Amino acid sequence: GQAQFIDLSVPGTDDEGLGPVLDWARANLERPLTVEDLAARAAMSPRTFYRRLQAATGTTPLQWLLNQRLARAQELLESTDLPIERIGELTGLGTANNLRHHFLKQVGVSPNTYRKAFPRGGASGVQTGRRGTAATQVQGRGARQFGSAT
């Protein structure tokens, strides 16, 4: 009967070349970002950047970027009343349809269903993860979990 917590935090990296670039990418998710862009920002070849990011995070650069965009979408769905179309733009996912597609595939529910679990201005019946954003089981809905797959 205990709610499960899904930690959406980004794995830390000891790689000095990646940390600032990943922080910059998270702050600029609305931009069209490519491996080549991130590699240039890290002063690495795309191939080296790809290998180092995969070693540091356990995922490919494009999957890492998608996970970051979905985590940001979850934050916006939890804390704002922005339209789904605007959230798609702000997260770099583009259209509302693209956001819905990736959100449903990764999180397991539509963005609107997810948003309903986080009413603003009152108790939601939701227990948040250790870091306080996204990622929880909604009580009273069985074993359905909301969180990003890594």
Side-chain angles (χ1 to χ4, degrees):
Q2 181 179 7
Q4 296 188 17
F5 300 103
I6 302 168
D7 188 4
L8 287 180
S9 61
V10 177
T13 176
D14 293 332
D15 192 328
E16 290 296 319
L18 289 180
V21 173
L22 299 183
D23 290 341
W24 179 85
R26 279 190 293 275
N28 291 280
L29 291 173
E30 73 283 355
R31 294 181 178 201
L33 300 172
T34 65
V35 172
E36 290 76 16
D37 296 334
L38 298 174
R41 192 159 193 87
M44 298 177 195
S45 72
R47 184 175 176 198
T48 298
F49 179 80
Y50 185 99
R51 283 195 325 260
R52 289 175 90 180
L53 183 73
Q54 192 164 30
T57 66
T59 190
T60 67
L62 295 178
Q63 186 62 50
W64 179 87
L65 190 57
L66 177 60
N67 290 344
Q68 298 311 302
R69 288 181 163 149
L70 291 171
R72 179 69 177 134
Q74 287 177 305
E75 291 173 15
L76 292 171
L77 288 166
E78 292 172 22
S79 62
T80 72
D81 290 323
L82 290 171
I84 301 299
E85 184 69 38
R86 184 69 180 130
I87 292 175
E89 293 167 1
L90 290 172
T91 60
L93 290 167
T95 66
N97 284 338
N98 200 31
L99 171 61
R100 285 184 193 102
H101 168 77
H102 288 291
F103 203 88
L104 185 60
K105 186 176 178 181
Q106 292 278 63
V107 181
V109 296
S110 71
N112 283 329
T113 300
Y114 186 85
R115 175 176 267 166
K116 289 176 186 173
F118 295 92
R120 280 155 298 290
S124 66
V126 175
Q127 296 178 0
T128 59
R130 290 184 294 254
R131 304 211 183 221
T133 61
T136 60
Q137 176 181 6
V138 177
Q139 295 180 2
R141 293 190 186 198
R144 178 163 298 206
Q145 295 177 5
F146 296 126
S148 179
T150 52

